[in-house]
């Protein structure tokens, strides 16, 4: 019998309750109506008379021990137990919250739209998988233009040709086909060209093209609009220049250069020591293109321009490798937390 007392008393002493459930288990076993100690009382009648007194005392001692322990366990559970998990150390410095950030390409696209929205442009979009008409033919591309070659264009189907769009000029065709002038629209979006991936080129990139069609639109309007854009997008002292160029869909056509944002004209490897960096192409919409879209070229004229969002973003933030935009390296993206 002495062993039994010892066993129960050990069990009481070593009992640990980490939560209310375990506390309840303790209560049922040692305190509740049919508890192990009460069972001992019922055994009393089998105990020889001369031992009854000592037996009774031992049972009472156990009962008191169980009650005391119960109080201690209640306090412990109410104060949250002593496990670290359930009872954090409130004096520790807080865990830093990680906030996401706007991707730099998105920030540039948004800024672009903001600048042009203020001068009356809206935003239009079109499919990334295009037919030959919208990507090439309506834009006055000759039958054997090199951009139609397999090396440059990702064709999905041949005859009739279906391809991943090589520029968002295709969206401008769709807008001109469906809307009446005056048209002032921006077409941002992904474009695809079969190019080897390097620090300066990617087979997928983003363009922002603009189109303005109305009566009496001139090259002076094109220059002034782009001049305004460059002043808003880049540092206030940025210079702009136009170089004669060629695109099938514009006549006359020009390349747009701005003064190098990295060296400010002193010469560096970004501007190849010329002080100027190309940001895109532009020109007056070729009358053939207007006619292809059902717009009378005797009444209306217009200008168009196209720029690479990656290029503009690299110049804005001094990013030297275009691959960083798609690697999803958090150390790169984190630097744009304040955008
Ligand atoms: N679509 C041309 C390109 O992708 C850019 C451009 C747009 C040039 C509009 C002139 C006018 O290269």
């Amino acid at each position: 019998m002495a062993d039994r007392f010892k066993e129960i008393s050990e069990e009481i002493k070593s009992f640990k309750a980490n939560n209310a459930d375990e506390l309840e288990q303790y209560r049922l076993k040692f305190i509740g109506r049919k508890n192990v100690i009460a069972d001992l009382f019922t055994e009393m009648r089998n105990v020889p008379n001369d031992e009854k007194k000592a037996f009774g005392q031992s049972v009472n001692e156990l009962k008191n021990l169980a009650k005391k322990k119960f109080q201690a366990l209640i306090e412990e559970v109410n104060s949250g137990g002593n496990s670290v998990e359930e009872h954090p150390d409130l004096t520790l410095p807080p865990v830093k919250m990680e906030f996401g950030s706007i991707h730099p390409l998105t920030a540039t696209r948004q800024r672009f739209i903001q600048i042009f929205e203020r001068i009356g442009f809206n935003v239009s979009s079109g499919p990334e998988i295009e037919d030959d008409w919208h990507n090439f033919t309506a834009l006055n591309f000759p039958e054997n233009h090199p951009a139609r070659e397999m090396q440059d264009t990702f064709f999905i189907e041949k005859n009739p040709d279906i391809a991943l769009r090589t520029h968002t000029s295709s969206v401008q065709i769709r807008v001109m086909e469906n809307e009446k002038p005056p048209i002032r629209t921006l077409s941002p979006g992904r474009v695809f060209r079969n190019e080897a991936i390097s620090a300066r080129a990617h087979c997928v990139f983003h363009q922002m093209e603009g189109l303005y069609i109305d009566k009496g639109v001139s090259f002076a309007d094109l220059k002034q609009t782009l001049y305004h854009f460059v002043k808003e997008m880049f540092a206030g002292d940025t210079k702009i220049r136009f170089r004669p160029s060629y695109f099938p869909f514009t006549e006359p056509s020009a390349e747009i250069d701005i003064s190098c944002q990295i060296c400010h004209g002193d010469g560096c490897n970004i501007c190849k020591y010329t002080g100027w960096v190309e940001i895109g192409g532009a020109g007056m919409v070729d009358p053939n293109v207007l006619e292809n879209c059902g717009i009378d070229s005797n009444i209306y004229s217009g200008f168009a321009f196209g720029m690479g969002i990656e290029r503009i973003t690299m110049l804005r933030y001094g990013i030297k490798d275009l691959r960083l935009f798609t690697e999803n390296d958090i150390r790169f993206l984190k630097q744009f937390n304040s955008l």
Side-chain angles (χ1 to χ4, degrees):
M1 219 3 123
D3 283 353
R4 182 103 180 88
F5 284 117
K6 202 159 168 241
E7 202 181 292
I8 293 172
S9 113
E10 287 301 317
E11 213 183 324
I12 291 172
K13 283 182 196 154
S14 62
F15 198 97
K16 287 198 171 54
N18 288 314
N19 51 45
D21 277 351
E22 287 169 12
L23 185 66
E24 179 61 3
Q25 278 167 26
Y26 177 91
R27 194 189 66 80
L28 290 173
K29 189 160 187 187
F30 301 107
I31 311 279
R33 221 159 47 84
K34 287 181 76 186
N35 69 71
V36 287
I37 302 167
D39 287 349
L40 289 174
F41 271 119
T42 51
E43 276 177 37
M44 187 111 115
R45 63 178 114 90
N46 306 325
V47 174
N49 277 346
D50 55 340
E51 289 173 27
K52 270 197 167 61
K53 195 173 168 205
F55 186 93
Q57 263 173 3
S58 299
V59 178
N60 271 329
E61 272 166 27
L62 269 187
K63 208 175 148 181
N64 290 336
L65 179 71
K67 272 192 194 161
K68 261 198 186 155
K69 174 77 180 196
F70 189 49
Q71 284 309 321
L73 288 178
I74 289 173
E75 272 168 39
E76 205 174 295
V77 169
N78 282 348
S79 69
N82 50 14
S83 87
V84 177
E85 218 180 327
E86 289 184 23
H87 197 47
D89 181 351
L90 298 177
T91 64
L92 287 174
V95 178
K96 211 171 144 236
M97 288 265 266
E98 291 284 357
F99 289 103
S101 56
I102 290 183
H103 193 283
L105 292 179
T106 306
T108 300
R109 189 187 64 224
Q110 286 174 345
R111 179 78 187 121
F112 233 114
I113 293 171
Q114 213 176 47
I115 294 168
F116 279 95
E117 262 176 358
R118 289 208 300 257
I119 52 171
F121 280 69
N122 63 15
V123 177
S124 47
S125 58
E128 291 180 352
I129 297 173
E130 261 303 1
D131 52 32
D132 176 86
W133 171 257
H134 291 97
N135 199 78
F136 296 124
T137 303
L139 285 155
N140 209 31
F141 275 78
E143 203 54 62
N144 51 0
H145 192 281
R148 295 183 182 228
E149 299 286 311
M150 286 302 245
Q151 301 95 285
D152 289 312
T153 307
F154 289 112
F155 284 98
I156 289 174
E157 276 170 35
K158 278 294 221 175
N159 295 322
D161 292 354
I162 305 286
L164 296 180
R165 67 181 177 196
T166 58
H167 49 187
T168 56
S169 303
S170 54
V171 180
Q172 304 185 346
I173 297 296
R174 289 179 179 276
V175 172
M176 286 191 281
E177 282 174 337
N178 293 311
E179 288 173 27
K180 289 195 173 11
I183 293 170
R184 266 174 285 182
T185 195
L186 278 183
S187 352
R190 271 199 300 191
V191 299
F192 308 84
R193 290 182 198 175
N194 195 356
E195 286 185 43
I197 298 170
S198 71
R200 310 183 106 243
H202 206 295
C203 57
V204 184
F205 60 99
H206 298 79
Q207 268 196 339
M208 181 68 84
E209 295 216 354
L211 176 73
Y212 178 26
I213 311 283
D214 203 350
K215 289 178 186 155
V217 177
S218 71
F219 202 90
D221 297 314
L222 166 62
K223 282 185 89 170
Q224 186 56 39
T225 304
L226 290 177
Y227 184 67
H228 168 72
F229 160 73
V230 163
K231 290 268 173 209
E232 291 287 309
M233 182 62 95
F234 299 101
D237 59 353
T238 304
K239 292 193 202 58
I240 183 168
R241 76 174 185 187
F242 293 80
R243 274 181 295 117
S245 186
Y246 170 79
F247 298 101
F249 35 88
T250 47
E251 182 61 34
S253 304
E255 308 277 352
I256 318 152
D257 293 347
I258 59 166
S259 49
C260 183
Q261 300 295 296
I262 314 290
C263 67
H264 301 284
D266 293 345
C268 68
N269 59 0
I270 296 292
C271 62
K272 300 195 200 102
Y273 299 92
T274 63
W276 294 95
V277 195
E278 186 197 316
I279 57 165
M284 300 308 292
V285 180
D286 192 295
N288 288 343
V289 176
L290 296 177
E291 298 295 336
N292 284 342
C293 302
I295 293 174
D296 188 341
S297 62
N298 294 313
I299 302 176
Y300 293 104
S301 60
F303 67 71
F305 61 84
M307 295 178 212
I309 297 181
E310 277 79 355
R311 171 66 67 88
I312 305 284
T313 310
M314 289 168 90
L315 290 169
R316 272 181 104 191
Y317 302 115
I319 298 164
K320 296 209 174 94
D321 194 322
L322 178 133
R323 288 168 291 197
L324 287 163
F325 291 131
T326 43
E327 280 169 353
N328 283 340
D329 187 330
I330 208 117
R331 289 166 301 179
F332 171 72
L333 297 172
K334 254 186 175 173
Q335 295 172 54
F336 301 92
N337 264 354
S338 58
L339 295 181

